[in-house]
């Protein structure tokens, strides 16, 4: 069961948290989080893309190697 508070939380935090983190916080499934995002986007609500960049282990490795 999804509440208006759940939808608001997803809207406010989707760019900064993973769907899994949001799902755990709200006690709903990751599928339900993605459904909320998709439904809002279908209705014209601007939900930003993810802001956080995933860590690229290869870039980290190269940086460490350059440092010696």
């Amino acid at each position: 069961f999804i509440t208006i508070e759940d939808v608001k939380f997803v809207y406010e935090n989707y760019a900064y948290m993973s769907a899994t983190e949001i799902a755990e916080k709200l006690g709903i499934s990751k599928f339900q989080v993605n459904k909320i995002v998709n439904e809002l986007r279908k209705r014209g609500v601007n939900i930003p893309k993810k802001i956080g960049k995933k860590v690229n282990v290869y870039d980290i490795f190269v940086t460490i190697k350059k440092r010696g």
Side-chain angles (χ1 to χ4, degrees):
F1 185 71
I2 297 172
T3 66
I4 189 71
E5 289 83 17
D6 295 340
V7 175
K8 182 179 180 200
F9 186 86
V10 171
Y11 174 76
E12 292 173 346
N13 295 287
Y14 186 74
Y16 308 101
M17 297 173 70
S18 71
T20 302
E21 290 173 318
I22 293 171
E24 288 174 359
K25 184 97 171 163
L26 296 177
I28 61 177
S29 72
K30 181 180 170 182
F31 173 79
Q32 288 173 305
V33 172
N34 290 325
K35 178 142 176 81
I36 291 169
V37 170
N38 291 335
E39 289 296 326
L40 289 175
R41 284 183 176 153
K42 274 197 305 192
R43 287 166 172 75
V45 176
N46 183 20
I47 304 248
K49 301 277 186 202
K50 297 289 186 190
I51 292 175
K53 180 182 175 190
K54 291 185 180 177
V55 176
N56 186 324
V57 293
Y58 303 108
D59 290 339
I60 294 170
F61 178 80
V62 170
T63 302
I64 291 170
K65 291 302 270 181
K66 285 181 182 177
R67 289 183 190 163

